[in-house]
Each structure stands twice: as structure tokens, then as C-alpha cells.
Amino acid sequence: MSVSFMLNGEPVTIEGEPPTRTLLDWLRARGLTGTKEGCNEGDCGACTVMVSDENGSRALNACILFLPQLQGKSLRTVEGLASPDGALHPVQEAMITHHGSQCGFCTPGFIMSMAAAHSSGATNHDDYLAGNLCRCTGYAPIIRAAEEAAAQPVPPWLADEPALGETAAGEPPATSAPPDAAAPAPSSLDAFADWYLAHPEAVLIAGATDVGLWVTKQLRELGEVAFLNTIPELRQISETAGALRIGAMATLSDLQPIIAQHYPSFGELIRRYASVQVRNAATIGGNIANGSPI
């Protein structure tokens, strides 16, 4: 398996890892231990990282994010949030000012959720921090820190980050894995259809919010897998006369603002579904296909 992405502003390429290696395990083995392992199932937010692509920046749970899902994207962990010269991100400064950390175990995850919200200009802090659990500080000083940081601009070292997946030579890597890769990531529906016809027993991975737990909790070997996040047609949502056409890879975060215009109560239901980190990854098609009891 070969995966290329930006890690804290620097290009990296990973070779030889199994396709179901989680980002959390890989980061901690690399020495980036600011990303914590708490529940290891996407509930506590201690492992939150910020992933950016052409659709903007999102907070995601590293514990149920597989390495191939990062292909061509930019990843920031808590170690890479400050500037190279040590200047802190506004949310880090605000957390210090408002005493938003006691034991500190949950703090890196809170910081990364706050940074992702800050990057997108979101100010509904109660929503954005609902997927981060704190047992000792209490949420009031954390919310005050988020409110104060919201008035500050996105730091230039993040706003001027290199192009997604840009290498030192200035040439972006391919956005999908090579045809002979251990974990295909087809770039079109036709390519996927051809591959799936030849590999009908493969496990298809969309957001991995459910399949991730098969690996982290059930310790299952998935065998052959394919990743669908590189197929743009599957993420489209279009409105026609009297109908919505929703791609199977559309996430709950993609769907929520659109469905809320037509069915406000359904939009509110999605807002309360899981957490921002989970909604940023969980897909409509995956939810229906898996029929998970949770």
C-alpha cells in the first residue's frame, strides 16, 4: 500500500502498511503521541485531528480513520497546529487564557476540534465540541476559549499551507492508489464497477465509522478492501423537482444543511446524530448498507 498526504505541512508517503492500519496507531508509532487513544471507537474525541481538502477542513476521529482515506489530503495533528517558530494558534492561546485544561488528556482533541471549527468560521461551539468528552475541566472555560478564539483570523501558516498533497518538487501525487495497490481507491464509478465485478467479496469502505470498529474492537481481518472516498460522483447531492438525489458517499454533514431547508425536524435529528467528527465521516450509503444496531 502506498499513501501520500501532507502531515503538519510536510509531504509524507507511507509504504508497506496494511490498508486497515488506523491513523491513530500510525501517528502514535511515529511519535506523534499528542493524539490520544481514549475509547478507540469514535466517541470521546481524544484522537481528533484536522483533515483538509478541496472541500475545506474537517475534524475527524483518527482512531477509526484508515490511512488510505488520507490520500492527497492535508492532515494536522496537535503537534503541527502552532507555527514553525512556535507561535500558538488562537485556540491554543485562548485555552491557556481561560484555563481550559486540567489533567490535559482530552485537551489535544478539544484543540483540534476547535481549530477545525475556527478554520471554517463556525461559531456553534456546543455542536462542534459535542464529540469531545472532558471528565475534569468542565465545559464552561472551554466554550469561553472557543468564543474568544472565533474573533481571531485563521493563522497565516495554516491559511498559506502548501497545495494539497504537494510534494517538495511541487507536483501533486495521484489522488487514487495504483491499480495493483493492496487497497484500491477508484477515481470513477466505471473504474470501481470494473474492479468490484472482479472482486465481489471485497469489503467496501466509505466513512469507516462502523467498519473501523470491526477492526479496533472486534479485531477482525477484513481481507480484500476498497475505499470509495475517491469517487466524486458518489458524494454529489442534487435537487430536482420534488426530489433529492443523494450520493451514497454523501456524509451526514453534507446532507444536514440541505435536508434542513425542506424538513427542519429531520435536519435537527441529524444535528443530534453522533458528533461532528462522526457526521463528517459517516455516509448515507454506509449507514443504510450496514444497518448497524447502534
Side-chain angles (χ1 to χ4, degrees):
M1 182 195 76
S2 177
V3 178
S4 298
F5 57 93
M6 300 294 289
L7 173 61
N8 294 331
E10 298 293 333
V12 297
T13 296
I14 303 171
E15 304 277 2
E17 292 282 3
T20 54
R21 172 84 150 163
T22 66
L23 173 60
L24 173 64
D25 285 349
W26 182 82
L27 287 173
R28 295 186 63 80
R30 190 182 173 94
L32 296 174
T33 53
T35 305
K36 304 301 184 187
E37 180 177 323
C39 65
N40 211 19
E41 57 188 46
D43 285 339
C44 73
C47 68
T48 303
V49 295
M50 183 167 67
V51 177
S52 304
D53 58 18
E54 66 277 7
N55 297 309
S57 297
R58 296 172 291 154
L60 293 170
N61 291 309
C63 69
I64 50 174
L65 189 67
F66 296 130
L67 289 174
Q69 293 174 276
L70 293 168
Q71 176 67 31
K73 301 183 186 301
S74 292
L75 167 69
R76 287 278 171 175
T77 69
V78 70
E79 292 90 350
L81 196 57
S83 76
D85 65 6
L88 295 181
H89 188 283
V91 300
Q92 294 173 306
E93 291 278 14
M95 284 285 275
I96 294 169
T97 300
H98 290 280
H99 307 286
S101 176
Q102 288 186 32
C103 86
F105 186 88
C106 69
T107 304
F110 270 97
I111 291 288
M112 297 313 297
S113 288
M114 293 163 72
H118 183 267
S119 178
S120 63
T123 56
N124 49 332
H125 306 301
D126 288 348
D127 286 354
Y128 266 78
L129 295 179
N132 294 82
L133 302 183
C134 177
R135 299 299 185 189
C136 56
T137 300
Y139 293 95
I142 298 173
I143 295 295
R144 285 195 290 268
E147 291 171 343
E148 179 175 298
Q152 302 299 317
V154 175
W157 60 89
L158 293 183
D160 298 331
E161 195 167 25
L164 298 177
E166 187 176 41
T167 64
E171 296 182 0
T175 55
S176 58
D180 59 349
S187 58
S188 70
L189 277 174
D190 287 343
F192 166 61
D194 291 342
W195 185 89
Y196 196 37
L197 186 64
H199 305 267
E201 300 302 318
V203 174
L204 308 182
I205 299 177
T209 54
D210 198 24
V211 174
L213 272 67
W214 299 359
V215 174
T216 64
K217 293 299 182 180
Q218 299 177 14
L219 307 181
R220 286 167 57 176
E221 296 288 342
L222 300 186
E224 227 176 359
V225 300
F227 291 87
L228 306 184
N229 59 298
T230 51
I231 306 176
E233 301 102 308
L234 287 182
R235 193 162 178 175
Q236 294 174 358
I237 302 175
S238 59
E239 298 187 50
T240 60
L244 286 174
R245 184 180 179 88
I246 303 167
M249 278 294 298
T251 68
L252 290 167
S253 290
D254 294 333
L255 180 62
Q256 195 272 335
I258 296 173
I259 206 74
Q261 296 176 23
H262 302 280
Y263 302 98
S265 60
F266 191 8
E268 177 64 12
L269 175 65
I270 295 176
R271 186 184 74 84
R272 294 171 179 268
Y273 185 105
S275 65
V276 164
Q277 293 95 315
V278 170
R279 295 195 298 271
N280 282 342
T283 65
I284 303 302
N287 188 290
I288 294 171
N290 285 352
S292 171
I294 58 173

